[in-house]
């Protein structure tokens, strides 16, 4: 734990956390608990949030992020609103800090690219907080696809909806779709060729609360993402349909997150007449593999510390953060233009 003897050893990474609103405290808890991490300083503009964190962990706090930059922390986790990521991350990189920046990496691709370039120039670790890439269920699904268990992947459907939380500075696309986009890129191990998106702002003027996104990947793979802050049910589900098997990953399920359906359709290789032609449907077993229940954010934070320690490139590095932001930017452009198809650069 935070003040244990283990924490004081030579290898401990001195960590600072910037932003303790909704998400920051989850990072703080993890960096407080993980052995090998030495949580030194927490920064937020709001004194009441700092007081809350100080009461919980007895950690040093500050309202001035310059203090964090001038401190001896080696690594900073940034969990402030998206519009502030670029400025704060660039300042941290200038100060030679390794950084973990919450998703989405930046508010646009130009900013994300500059962050990647500066991190590379300075030899600093830049990691994007794509939490789902550290989710054991996503990892399991990725292995199934890579090992050819599903056959040829046909299409993927991702739904991430519930009532709220309405954001003031970004629309639902930038708030929720980074998760599904990063999952898709990770699962399929490829980048989409094009994207189109449609959305509506029903509650807050000018801020879309519902969006439907379609992505075209190489190999004729299609994916669609449905994100909404305006839905009666909390759904966090991804379906992958392959030629051999189909998988449903339901993140709301407490334990049985993945179900593998040995279902499919076979087309007869040859038939002379319409009467002879008939599809054969296969209804096989449904299996539910045992998946580790370790908290994905804990795995992510451990990985960040490991990268800081060993200088390895993070799984969700700055470039993967940039890819996600570029796709979001193309989707936003499509959203503003009635759903027209946009090339992903
Ligand atoms: N990985 C995930 O699953 C996940 C989940 C939720 C949010 N997030 C991300 O976390 C980030 C923060 O989201 P949130 O919901 O916690 O936002 P929030 O508004 O609840 O909290 C942000 C905090 O940052 C502070 N802040 C803003 N500017 C600051 C500055 N210059 N110096 C110090 N503190 C500053 C604010 O006072 C606030 O307390 C966003 O990028 C969001 O997308 C990630």
């Amino acid at each position: 734990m935070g003040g244990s003897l283990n924490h004081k050893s030579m290898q401990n990474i001195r960590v600072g956390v910037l932003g303790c609103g909704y998400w920051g405290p989850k990072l703080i808890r993890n960096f407080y608990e993980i052995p090998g991490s030495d949580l030194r300083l927490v920064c937020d503009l709001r004194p009441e949030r700092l007081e809350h964190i100080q009461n919980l962990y007895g950690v040093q706090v500050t309202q001035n992020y310059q203090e964090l930059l001038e401190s001896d922390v080696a690594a900073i986790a940034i969990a402030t609103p998206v519009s502030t990521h670029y400025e704060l991350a660039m300042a941290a990189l200038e100060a030679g800090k390794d950084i973990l920046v919450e998703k989405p990496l930046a508010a646009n691709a130009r900013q994300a690219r500059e962050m990647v370039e500066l991190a590379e120039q300075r030899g600093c670790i830049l990691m994007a907080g794509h939490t789902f890439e550290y989710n054991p269920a996503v990892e399991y699904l990725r292995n199934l696809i890579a090992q050819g268990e599903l056959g040829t992947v046909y299409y993927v459907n991702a739904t991430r909806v519930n009532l709220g939380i309405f954001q003031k500075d970004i629309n639902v696309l930038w708030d929720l779709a980074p998760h599904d986009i990063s999952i898709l890129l990770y699962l399929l191990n490829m980048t989409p060729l094009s994207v189109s998106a449609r959305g509506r702002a029903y509650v807050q003027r000018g801020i879309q609360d519902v969006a439907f996104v379609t992505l075209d990947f190489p190999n004729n793979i299609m994916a669609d993402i449905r994100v909404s802050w305006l839905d009666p049910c909390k759904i966090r589900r991804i379906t992958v349909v392959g030629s051999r098997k189909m998988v449903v990953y339901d993140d709301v399920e407490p334990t049985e997150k993945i179900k593998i359906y040995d279902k499919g359709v076979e087309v007869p290789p040859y038939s002379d007449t319409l009467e002879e032609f008939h599809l054969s449907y296969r209804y096989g077993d449904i299996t539910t593999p045992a998946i580790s229940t370790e908290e994905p954010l804990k795995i992510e934070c451990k990985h960040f510390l490991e990268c800081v320690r060993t200088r390895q490139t993070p799984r969700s590095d700055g470039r993967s953060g940039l890819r996600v932001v570029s796709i979001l930017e193309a989707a936003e452009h499509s959203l503003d233009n009635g759903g027209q198809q946009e090339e992903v650069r």
Side-chain angles (χ1 to χ4, degrees), residues 6-243:
N6 188 25
H7 260 231
K8 302 289 174 215
S9 79
M10 287 294 287
Q11 289 181 351
N12 285 348
I13 308 287
R14 293 183 297 274
V15 180
V17 176
L18 181 51
C20 49
Y22 164 69
W23 193 249
K26 300 181 200 308
L27 289 160
I28 292 168
R29 170 176 50 77
N30 275 297
F31 286 119
Y32 180 76
E33 287 175 355
I34 295 170
S37 157
D38 182 2
L39 178 66
R40 282 289 175 97
L41 194 53
V42 170
C43 174
D44 200 290
L45 296 174
R46 296 186 289 166
E48 70 278 12
R49 295 304 297 158
L50 293 176
E51 198 185 324
H52 172 66
I53 293 298
Q54 208 166 27
N55 287 340
L56 281 176
Y57 302 105
V59 65
Q60 230 185 304
V61 296
T62 176
Q63 277 179 269
N64 180 359
Y65 90 102
Q66 278 303 335
E67 249 182 70
L68 194 53
L69 302 184
E70 286 160 16
S71 75
D72 65 353
V73 302
I76 300 179
I78 301 178
T80 54
V82 183
S83 56
T84 66
H85 286 184
Y86 171 75
E87 192 195 331
L88 298 172
M90 292 297 273
L93 291 170
E94 291 285 3
K97 309 294 184 188
D98 293 322
I99 54 173
L100 163 61
V101 183
E102 259 318 319
K103 62 82 201 164
L105 186 63
N108 59 55
R110 182 189 51 77
Q111 291 181 348
R113 202 170 294 113
E114 282 182 33
M115 287 158 70
V116 169
E117 283 166 3
L118 186 60
E120 285 176 356
Q121 272 169 28
R122 296 291 162 116
C124 291
I125 302 287
L126 169 60
M127 178 162 150
H130 296 164
T131 315
F132 281 91
E133 289 182 41
Y134 302 90
N135 187 309
V138 173
E139 187 71 24
Y140 192 94
L141 183 47
R142 183 180 201 250
N143 288 335
L144 280 180
I145 294 172
Q147 288 158 6
E149 272 292 302
L150 310 189
T152 304
V153 173
Y154 288 156
Y155 78 94
V156 185
N157 166 271
T159 306
R160 189 173 300 275
V161 300
N162 61 287
L163 198 60
I165 308 167
F166 282 80
Q167 305 289 335
K168 299 253 177 300
D169 59 335
I170 48 171
N171 64 19
V172 72
L173 185 71
W174 286 82
D175 184 37
L176 298 183
H179 291 310
D180 299 292
I181 294 171
S182 71
I183 292 172
L184 284 169
L185 302 194
Y186 189 59
L187 287 181
L188 301 173
N189 201 21
M190 51 174 87
T191 311
L193 305 167
S194 63
V195 59
S196 61
R198 289 172 59 78
R200 292 285 185 274
Y202 291 110
V203 176
Q204 302 182 103
R205 189 188 291 258
I207 302 179
Q208 287 91 350
D209 32 47
V210 181
F212 303 152
V213 184
T214 303
L215 301 143
D216 287 296
F217 283 88
N219 305 340
N220 203 29
I221 300 173
M222 187 173 76
D224 77 273
I225 299 173
R226 180 174 292 222
V227 282
S228 173
W229 295 323
L230 201 53
D231 193 284
C233 304
K234 177 170 179 164
I235 306 173
R236 303 271 182 268
R237 195 171 51 221
I238 292 184
T239 306
V240 184
V241 173
S243 57

